[in-house]
Structures are given as C-alpha cells and as structure tokens.
Amino acid sequence: MNRVSYNPLNGRLTAGRGVLVSYEGAEPRQDSNYWSCSENNANNAWNVNFSNGNVNNNNNKNNSYVCRAVTATSDYDAVPADFIASVWEAYDDCLRGKRRSAQATEYMATAGRDIPELARELWTMTYRPGTSTCFLVSYPKWREVFAASFRDRIVHHWICLRLNPLFEERFRSQGDVSFNCRKGLGTERAVEYLADGMRTISDNYHKDAWVFCGDLEGFFMSIDKGLLWYLLERFTKRRYKGDDKEILLHAVRAVVMHRPERDCVLNSPARWWEENVPRNKSLFTSPTGEPIGNLTTQLFANFLMSFFVSYVQRLYTDRNYRLVQFVDDFAIVCDDKRFLLESIGKIDRFLREKMKLTMHKDKRHLQKVSHGVLFVGTYIKPGRMYLSERTVKRMQMRTEEIRKVLSGEEVSPTAIQSAECTINSYLGFCRRRQTYGIRRKVIDAMGEVFWKYFYIKGHYDSIRTRNRYKLTLN
C-alpha cells in the first residue's frame, strides 16, 4: 500500500511517487473514514455481474460480463459535429511532435471516449482545468515549471488556434518587433534585427547612437491575472468573429484565472523550493502570476507585452529609433541620447502603473552602439557577433549530458534523435557568430561516442545521424 504524505506547498495529500489523493487545496485529513471510489486497478473496477448479481467482483472490465456506469448521450447529441471536430483538430495539433511522450501515449488510448466529453464540457461552458504536475529545473537557473495534463493542453491548443492568428495580425501591425513564440522568428532573428537597427540608426556606425537594454523582474510571476483577462476579453470580443465566441471567452478565462499551484502534484522534493527558489519566483508564494510551462502562458505573455510595444512606439513617434522585444527583454536604439534617457523613466512608470510590472533595477544598460551590447545571449559588436560566456557554458553542459546518455549500454533511437536536434539547435544559433573554434571544441569534447552515431556537415555547421542508426528510427 502506498504511503500517503502531506504536501507542504499546497496542502495536497499524495501517495508514493506523486500519485494524487486529494483535491483542490485540501488540508491533511485526520479521520480514518475518508471515502473514495476509484478503479481497483488497471483492469478491474466496481461492477455488477448479471450472471449472479454479485457486486464488486473481480471481473475484467473489458469483458462482456461487466456493466460500467455511462453518461446519458443526450448531452453529446446537443454538441454540433463541427464543434467536436474542432476539438479533434486541437488534439491533433497537440500531438504534433509529442506522440512518443508518456502522457500522449496514455491519452491516445482514451481519446475516442474523452474528446467528445471534453467538447461537451467546452460547449456547455462547464470546463475546468485539471491537476497539473509541478517540478523545478536548475539550469540555467532554478525555475518552477507547471505541466498541465494532456487533456488541458488540448484546450490550450484549441484556444491558440483561434486567437493566435489575431495576435499575429496585431504583432505585424506593430512592425514585427516581438520575436518570442512566433513561427519563423526567435532568438536568432531578434539578435539580427537589433544588430541591423544599431547599424541603421548610427548610419553604419558613422554617427553617434545609443542602445538601452532593459529586463522585467520576475516577469511570469508578476503577470496580473485580472489585467491579463481584461485585455484578452476586450480583444476577443472586438476581434474574434467565430460563432463560438462565448465558449472561447469561457475557456480563456478558465485558463487565465486557474491557480495550478492549488491543485498539483510535485515531481521535485518540496524542500527544493525553500532552498533554491525566491518567494517572488514561485506561484506558491506569489499573489499572482501565470505558470511557466503552458503554451497559453507564452502566447498570452507576448500579447500582454504588445501593449508595452504600443506605448513605446507612441512615445517615440517621429524619432529615429529601433525597438526589439523578446519575452521580458527589450532594447531601444536611438540617436537622441537625451530623449532616450528621459524615456526610460516614463517607460518604468508605465510598466509599474499600467501593466503592474517592474523593470529590473540591476539589469539596465545604456551605451553607445559602437561599444556593443549583450542581448539574449549574444554580444553584438560593429560588424561581428559573439556568444556570451553563459551560452557557451550552457552548450558545453548540454553536450556533456548527451555524451553520458550516448555512452550508456542501451541507447534508444529516441535518445539519438533528441541528441541530434539539441546539438543542431546550438550549432544553428552559433553559425553566424565568431564561433568556429567553440563549435569544434564542443563537438571534439564528446569524443568517440559522437563519431559513433553522427557525422559533421560543412564546417561544423550541423550534424547528421549515421544511416545505420537512422533506420532504427522508422
């Protein structure tokens, strides 16, 4: 029998290995008569045998002698087929690239029964997010991550399939200055856009220009749920034209206002939070905030920052400037130093008073563009770019982890494929920087195990899996 223990972070009761026992922020129970009804095991459940009238016998729940409780079909009949199809579409989108994950595999076995039920909950606006899994990651720094159940991720994708095209229209109308969580953009494009802005505003470094880089403190933990919901509600009502607008609004509100820390299972020791995570960096000790790890959190955060972008663009009307925003990092290039200095105070006040966010006081940098600047892991200098030491160390640590995995006695095809993707991701980020020596050094440090599974393309530009291991991936 599993040992039941108390979760000190959210009051949950859990059994061994994070198995859920209680619900919605329950306090530890002292009585011994706590009742629950659940399946006996993976094959057997409470059932009635019509042969002899026996109740709670040990018949297999998949055989023909078992009668299981079912839901009346009238509710499903009321849900339009095209709406159910839209949830299936979100399910397929959620599966993309995740079919081999444990949660996806587990859910696929029940999808045929649960997707119509999930569609009914959305249609009747009774959907509520379920239990999340919470854990900590330690690199590059300690961070709290919430993983929603696969079922809830389907809802996230259903929402984003409807709102993301509208978000993209807004971002494009602002000149595409936001680069995170957008198809075809990302860190590489953000760095290139800033480098081009520094070159353009300074007339190819022939005249003075300045660049200011700022960072928001505890960004995701500082997002005000009420403000985010207000902006999303107003935006959706104005811009979304689908017949399912009210359903979409209900789903968005359920996701935004959800407090996953009150209903989660920990996959990291509770003491790690006290030892490694500041109180303002955890939902367990923060009065507001959105969970890191959800697709909706990333997209909604980008949408929220679009109002910051609008303010800066209005502030810099008729000025020669360039703005770049990536998650909670931003940079402004301008050829008027006095105006740039004056605008920093106004931006700081706007963030605090209107968006309830705080600019980090120790991460503000103002200097001439000719001196270069560090932005999202890259030093941008006139005519050249370098990786930051932090990025290099992260690359070395990740490749060392991969070397250890590939040195094991049994290496799975999935591990080989994952290693190729990870290494190519770093090499792709390095490619347009002065990094040939770094790329070669990192690859060579992996030793013989690397050459066993992979080979080099170009001048250490990318790697490929050897054919005999590619075949095992089919």
Side-chain angles (χ1 to χ4, degrees):
M1 181 176 180
N2 284 328
R3 178 178 177 271
V4 177
S5 59
Y6 172 52
N7 175 350
L9 291 178
N10 63 356
R12 298 300 300 268
L13 294 175
T14 58
R17 298 188 179 183
V19 178
L20 180 64
V21 176
S22 71
Y23 186 77
E24 195 62 36
E27 294 298 326
R29 302 188 63 92
Q30 304 299 323
D31 59 282
S32 59
N33 296 320
Y34 179 63
W35 176 88
S36 68
C37 180
S38 62
E39 294 182 342
N40 182 45
N41 56 42
N43 292 317
N44 301 301
W46 292 87
N47 52 58
V48 177
N49 189 324
F50 286 119
S51 305
N52 53 24
N54 181 29
V55 179
N56 191 25
N57 65 23
N58 203 35
N59 279 341
N60 187 286
K61 67 184 179 184
N62 297 313
N63 64 33
S64 59
Y65 304 108
V66 176
C67 178
R68 306 194 74 200
V70 296
T71 303
T73 60
S74 58
D75 286 345
Y76 297 106
D77 295 337
V79 183
D82 58 346
F83 185 80
I84 297 178
S86 73
V87 181
W88 277 108
E89 179 188 12
Y91 167 68
D92 290 336
D93 195 58
C94 191
L95 279 178
R96 190 170 294 118
K98 303 291 185 181
R99 289 182 180 273
R100 295 186 180 184
S101 69
Q103 280 205 338
T105 302
E106 181 180 2
Y107 188 84
M108 287 167 67
T110 62
R113 296 190 300 274
D114 192 59
I115 293 296
E117 170 62 20
L118 181 58
R120 185 194 64 80
E121 291 177 18
L122 289 169
W123 180 260
T124 58
M125 291 187 280
T126 57
Y127 165 76
R128 295 292 184 273
T131 302
S132 299
T133 301
C134 182
F135 57 92
L136 295 180
V137 294
S138 59
Y139 193 84
K141 59 183 178 181
W142 286 93
R143 183 179 289 126
E144 176 184 270
V145 179
F146 283 86
S149 68
F150 194 85
R151 190 178 199 262
D152 289 332
R153 292 180 215 171
I154 295 172
V155 177
H156 298 169
H157 281 258
W158 186 85
I159 291 171
C160 293
L161 285 172
R162 279 146 187 77
L163 288 184
N164 202 43
L166 302 180
F167 291 163
E168 283 297 315
E169 290 179 8
R170 179 175 175 83
F171 300 147
R172 286 193 294 270
S173 71
Q174 295 178 330
D176 281 327
V177 300
S178 299
F179 289 84
N180 55 296
C181 294
R182 298 183 60 199
K183 188 175 182 179
L185 302 179
T187 309
E188 178 73 16
R189 293 286 298 276
V191 170
E192 292 176 356
Y193 188 72
L194 178 57
D196 179 71
M198 293 167 62
R199 191 165 49 248
T200 302
I201 303 301
S202 65
D203 192 19
N204 201 23
Y205 299 100
H206 288 125
K207 67 176 186 179
D208 287 340
W210 288 261
V211 56
F212 172 76
C213 290
D215 178 89
L216 301 183
E217 187 174 2
F219 177 54
F220 289 103
M221 298 301 119
S222 300
I223 294 176
D224 186 89
K225 290 179 177 291
L227 175 62
L228 178 59
W229 162 238
Y230 167 76
L231 295 174
L232 283 166
E233 181 186 31
R234 187 179 64 170
F235 179 82
T236 304
K237 286 182 175 179
R238 290 179 177 179
R239 300 295 302 278
Y240 187 69
K241 305 302 181 184
D243 295 335
D244 54 0
K245 180 184 292 188
E246 292 303 318
I247 297 171
L248 176 60
L249 286 168
H250 176 271
V252 170
R253 189 180 191 284
V255 170
V256 170
M257 304 304 290
H258 180 51
R259 298 299 298 262
E261 71 277 12
R262 296 177 179 174
D263 183 17
C264 69
V265 176
L266 302 186
N267 266 8
S268 297
R271 60 181 174 79
W272 285 7
W273 269 262
E274 184 177 351
E275 295 172 357
N276 303 294
V277 183
R279 293 183 64 83
N280 66 336
K281 296 294 181 69
S282 171
L283 289 183
F284 292 105
T285 49
S286 178
T288 185
E290 290 293 314
I292 297 174
N294 289 348
L295 172 64
T296 47
T297 298
Q298 297 288 338
L299 295 181
F300 291 169
N302 208 20
F303 166 75
L304 179 66
M305 288 301 291
S306 70
F307 292 89
F308 162 77
V309 169
S310 291
Y311 174 77
V312 174
Q313 290 179 335
R314 290 195 303 272
L315 188 63
Y316 277 78
T317 300
D318 299 326
R319 298 285 175 171
N320 187 25
Y321 81 103
R322 176 71 63 90
L323 168 66
V324 187
Q325 178 256 321
F326 190 90
V327 197
D328 55 348
D329 293 299
F330 66 92
I332 304 172
V333 186
C334 186
D335 58 3
D336 187 338
K337 182 180 180 181
R338 181 177 179 179
F339 182 82
L340 182 58
L341 284 170
E342 292 175 352
S343 71
I344 294 171
K346 295 178 180 178
I347 291 171
D348 191 15
R349 186 162 54 253
F350 172 81
L351 287 167
R352 281 187 287 105
E353 296 178 358
K354 300 298 184 180
M355 299 188 66
K356 303 182 181 180
L357 300 170
T358 305
M359 197 189 308
H360 204 297
K361 63 180 181 179
D362 298 326
K363 296 182 179 179
R364 306 182 186 192
H365 306 284
L366 175 68
Q367 54 194 12
K368 281 187 176 182
V369 295
S370 58
H371 293 172
V373 66
L374 173 63
F375 187 68
V376 291
T378 299
Y379 282 105
I380 305 173
K381 297 277 189 176
R384 61 201 188 279
M385 292 187 287
Y386 301 95
L387 286 183
S388 68
E389 292 183 5
R390 178 177 172 180
T391 304
V392 174
K393 289 180 179 179
R394 186 184 308 174
M395 183 178 178
Q396 291 172 334
M397 289 182 65
R398 289 292 290 121
T399 50
E400 174 60 18
E401 292 172 1
I402 290 171
R403 186 193 67 79
K404 291 179 180 178
V405 171
L406 298 182
S407 298
E409 294 182 2
E410 295 184 7
V411 180
S412 69
T414 304
I416 299 172
Q417 188 179 44
S418 176
E420 179 186 344
C421 292
T422 301
I423 295 173
N424 278 334
S425 177
Y426 277 108
L427 293 178
F429 185 70
C430 293
R431 198 174 304 152
R432 297 187 183 182
R433 294 156 179 77
Q434 313 301 311
T435 59
Y436 175 78
I438 294 174
R439 283 178 275 158
R440 183 163 185 168
K441 181 179 179 180
V442 168
I443 294 297
D444 290 348
M446 294 183 68
E448 295 181 0
V449 69
F450 172 85
W451 302 106
K452 176 181 177 181
Y453 294 104
F454 309 108
Y455 62 94
I456 295 292
K457 290 282 289 184
H459 299 288
Y460 285 81
D461 295 326
S462 63
I463 69 170
R464 295 290 185 273
T465 302
R466 295 189 181 278
N467 287 337
R468 62 177 174 273
Y469 297 107
K470 277 185 179 180
L471 294 176
T472 64
L473 298 176
N474 295 329

